[in-house]
Amino acid sequence: MIVAERKPMEAVASLVAPYERILVVGCGECVTVCMAGGEKEVEVMASALRLMRGKEGRPVTVETETVQRQCEPEYLVPLDKKAEAAEVILSMGCGVGVQFLAERFAQRWVVPALDTKFAGGVREAGVWEERCGLCGDCVLHLTGGICPVIRCSKSLLNGPCGGSHGGNCEIKRETRCAWQLIYDRLKGLGRLELLTPVLPPKDWSTARDGGPRQVVREDARL
Amino acid sequence: MKAGGRLEALLERGEFVVTAEVGPPKGASSKGIRSHAALLKDFVDAINITDNQTAIVRLCSLAGALHVLAEGAEPVMQITCRDRNRIAIQSDVLGAASLGIKNILCLTGDHQSFGNHPGARNVFDLDSIQLISMLKGMRDEKRFQCGEEMKVEPRIFIGAAENPFADPLEFRAVRLAKKVAAGADFIQTQGIFDLERFHRFMEAVREAGLHKRVAILAGVIPAKSFGAMKYMSTVPGMSIPRALLDRMKAAEKPEEEGVNICVELIRELRKVEGVRGVHIMAVAWESIVPTIVERAGLLPRPQAALPA
Ligand code: SF4
Ligand code: SF4
């Protein structure tokens, strides 16, 4: 899933400070699961904004709505009326959601309440961790299902750097060294031979380096 | 000869070589590098010029290498993968070779979070092994990484680093083998204090026959004080035995003891089968290198007859 985190409350408040009619829009997918922008967080946000502005003596009208997905135009249709009435739309979706809202509501100012972090998952309750760098050419079959592109701080494809220590990455003690994980797993599976060949430079044109990407599926087009 | 430099010539002749390291300044002055190069030139066979070491902005390694050349010494230009992509690196390599630089050391590079611009974006388009392989392709096949041909290839003696003490330990010799397979001509190791672990590493290296295919220069670092050695012992991928730390702690003249330890290590390393030289890393203490080389019995340095 896409993992996001709410911006500091003061930062969010300043984004909507000039406005008196705010629509806060949540999303029912990833950001609900990572507890950043689902229905619950939307309500908390709305109350917090009302409270802050009330204290400042500049009361606001805050409407809320949580759609199933912000990243698909058809799910945004039910927002039309509320969007029309608002001066600003505060999206609690990921960066994708914010942009889809901005596209649909061309006449409205749309701002992000979240910082979109990474593609990852839950490691343990309350801890989300990055797992995929969205490189567009997956190499997990070569590395035992552990991503060297994003989980190694230097995206090394041919084994650990000289700083791997005690299973941790040199840059942060709390970050596991991806190459230690890869080594341990391949060793456990008796597949260490996968680490012998020199992997050639990756073709990054499939990643963000190739420019904004699109996936087109002819069979799914109308 | 692959590149025709002095380091290569001496190794080919079977000499036990000595290299040292000089860190460029955090400013636009050539003075420090020039004076260090002048000081070291009769005591070492080549001088490494670091590439923005620990991710701190310094005068670039290409310019640094030229200052070394201008003093009549032979540079080893270091290149990391952190700040430049394959386009920039190949361009730098062509430029360096055109200016007479014969040796390039290929490194992954310290992460920028260690340096003075932690907000920088890193590159890591290639890793150090791919960098080695790219240089070899340029030199031996006259091809750019993309496959296109070039008319005049860069004649470069290709170096790489290896850390025998980093984890996973069992993988270290395999990683060295990959560097050799990719085309490394010489290796400079991380600073060695832990001889026992280094011996074990070299056993694995000899078992794989790697010492016959690549010239391994053992890295040493003179410690100036107990504090300095203690700090080094906390750096990921460094291994310093308790006994050495104790010696430094007890020393009345720590600088002297640091040199003593360094000299002893060099004498021991010289006996290890497959070690073809030493690489003395005395960054910020370059002036001590002549003393170390002399006391380790490595003088006079041999002359190399170089092609005109
Ligand atoms: S190799 Fe690429 S696609 Fe596969 S997990 Fe890593 S970043 Fe994602
Ligand atoms: S310590 Fe491990 S994860 Fe960190 S940069 Fe080095 S190889 Fe990558």
Side-chain angles (χ1 to χ4, degrees):
Chain A
M1 72 177 120
I2 299 287
V3 179
E5 200 178 23
R6 202 198 66 209
K7 287 176 183 286
M9 213 34 230
E10 305 71 51
V12 179
S14 78
L15 293 179
V16 296
Y19 306 101
E20 277 163 17
R21 294 189 310 280
I22 305 170
L23 171 60
V24 183
V25 183
C27 176
E29 303 280 0
C30 309
V31 293
T32 292
V33 186
C34 71
M35 308 196 309
E39 204 170 351
K40 197 171 136 216
E41 291 77 28
V42 164
E43 293 312 322
V44 172
M45 172 62 74
S47 319
L49 287 174
R50 284 185 201 112
L51 204 76
M52 284 171 95
R53 290 285 287 267
K55 270 193 194 155
E56 287 170 23
R58 298 194 309 124
V60 273
T61 318
V62 184
E63 288 286 341
T64 62
E65 194 71 52
T66 298
V67 297
Q68 186 171 342
R69 274 208 270 299
Q70 285 188 20
C71 57
E72 226 180 305
E74 61 178 285
Y75 291 101
L76 304 183
V77 176
L79 290 175
D80 285 1
K81 267 221 179 91
K82 282 186 175 172
E84 175 76 15
E87 289 171 301
V88 64
I89 300 173
L90 177 63
S91 168
M92 295 194 70
C94 71
V96 180
V98 180
Q99 294 179 60
F100 272 80
L101 283 172
E103 262 167 57
R104 170 138 197 110
F105 305 112
Q107 299 308 314
R108 287 291 164 275
W109 193 238
V110 180
V111 293
L114 306 186
D115 290 320
T116 304
K117 301 269 172 164
F118 50 77
V122 186
R123 201 186 73 184
E124 57 193 68
V127 180
W128 290 267
E129 220 168 59
E130 186 160 25
R131 284 289 183 271
C132 174
L134 314 173
C135 77
D137 181 16
C138 195
V139 300
L140 287 175
H141 56 294
L142 298 172
T143 55
I146 292 153
C147 175
V149 172
I150 205 68
R151 295 183 71 188
C152 166
S153 305
K154 300 175 188 171
S155 295
L156 306 180
L157 293 183
N158 281 293
C161 75
S164 177
H165 193 60
N168 298 327
C169 174
E170 69 172 14
I171 82 159
K172 266 189 238 132
R173 292 247 171 220
E174 63 274 22
T175 304
R176 299 277 291 145
C177 167
W179 276 101
Q180 181 74 53
L181 294 172
I182 293 168
Y183 182 84
D184 292 346
R185 182 161 158 80
L186 292 180
K187 189 176 179 188
L189 291 170
R191 298 296 305 274
L192 279 178
E193 85 282 353
L194 278 172
L195 299 184
T196 311
V198 173
L199 296 192
K202 204 161 158 44
D203 176 357
W204 295 109
S205 69
T206 61
R208 63 157 288 283
D209 309 86
R213 294 168 279 178
Q214 257 189 357
V215 171
V216 179
R217 282 268 307 266
E218 287 305 334
D219 59 333
R221 300 189 84 165
L222 293 178
Chain B
M1 293 259 282
K2 289 166 173 162
R6 172 180 163 131
L7 181 64
E8 182 186 6
L10 294 178
L11 283 168
E12 208 163 79
R13 237 165 59 190
E15 302 281 357
F16 188 84
V17 301
V18 181
T19 57
E21 197 157 296
V22 170
K26 287 165 85 174
S29 166
S30 62
K31 267 199 196 137
I33 296 193
R34 291 265 186 148
S35 63
H36 286 137
L39 173 80
L40 297 182
K41 100 177 186 215
D42 295 326
F43 297 88
V44 301
D45 307 314
I47 299 172
N48 283 43
I49 295 293
T50 53
D51 176 9
N52 297 296
Q53 201 178 13
T54 61
I56 288 171
V57 178
R58 292 170 180 279
L59 181 144
C60 73
S61 63
L62 176 51
L66 287 179
H67 290 309
V68 170
L69 266 183
E71 288 298 327
E74 177 161 300
V76 176
M77 173 178 153
Q78 299 194 174
I79 295 184
T80 75
C81 300
R82 180 192 55 233
D83 311 319
R84 292 191 214 67
N85 67 10
R86 63 192 81 177
I87 300 172
I89 293 178
Q90 291 180 100
S91 159
D92 282 358
V93 168
L94 294 180
S98 78
L99 288 161
I101 290 164
K102 303 286 186 192
N103 314 294
I104 290 179
L105 187 81
C106 304
L107 299 168
T108 303
D110 299 314
H111 196 268
Q112 75 277 7
S113 60
F114 291 109
N116 59 358
H117 292 74
R121 182 163 219 170
N122 61 39
V123 179
F124 297 117
D125 174 23
L126 309 173
D127 61 32
S128 59
I129 294 179
Q130 293 161 345
L131 172 55
I132 295 166
S133 163
M134 182 171 83
L135 295 200
K136 185 175 161 63
M138 291 174 82
R139 182 190 67 196
D140 295 350
E141 290 162 35
K142 296 193 183 197
R143 282 188 192 281
F144 290 104
Q145 191 275 330
C146 64
E148 252 170 51
E149 279 185 48
M150 68 186 84
K151 283 216 178 75
V152 180
E153 77 283 16
R155 307 299 311 167
I156 291 295
F157 196 48
I158 305 169
E162 187 50 63
N163 183 352
F165 311 106
D167 287 323
L169 273 185
E170 321 88 89
F171 189 64
R172 288 294 141 183
V174 179
R175 185 158 162 80
L176 182 65
K178 287 182 88 157
K179 291 190 172 177
V180 176
D185 300 308
F186 70 99
I187 298 289
Q188 291 170 322
T189 77
Q190 168 69 291
I192 298 161
F193 292 94
D194 190 338
L195 279 173
E196 199 191 308
R197 266 167 79 173
F198 182 67
H199 282 308
R200 263 186 278 150
F201 169 77
M202 284 306 292
E203 254 166 50
V205 166
R206 286 191 299 265
E207 214 164 276
L210 297 173
H211 63 307
K212 301 222 165 92
R213 297 168 58 202
V214 73
I216 297 173
L217 317 190
V220 289
I221 307 175
K224 233 178 170 170
S225 65
F226 170 67
M229 193 186 258
K230 175 109 196 159
Y231 170 73
M232 274 191 274
S233 71
T234 65
V235 171
M238 284 290 282
S239 171
I240 305 189
R242 186 76 252 164
L244 291 185
L245 284 160
D246 289 344
R247 257 180 78 181
M248 278 305 275
K249 195 173 185 178
E252 264 171 39
K253 294 182 179 159
E255 289 198 6
E256 254 182 59
E257 192 66 346
V259 172
N260 290 341
I261 291 174
C262 191
V263 168
E264 285 166 33
L265 284 168
I266 293 176
R267 288 184 182 275
E268 286 305 314
L269 289 165
R270 206 178 166 176
K271 295 185 211 152
V272 179
E273 189 191 344
V275 171
R276 309 264 304 273
V278 278
H279 177 52
I280 306 169
M281 291 171 274
V283 169
W285 198 16
E286 287 88 350
S287 58
I288 197 63
V289 173
T291 310
I292 294 173
V293 177
E294 188 189 353
R295 287 196 38 209
L298 296 168
L299 287 182
R301 298 308 310 147
Q303 293 303 305
L306 295 181

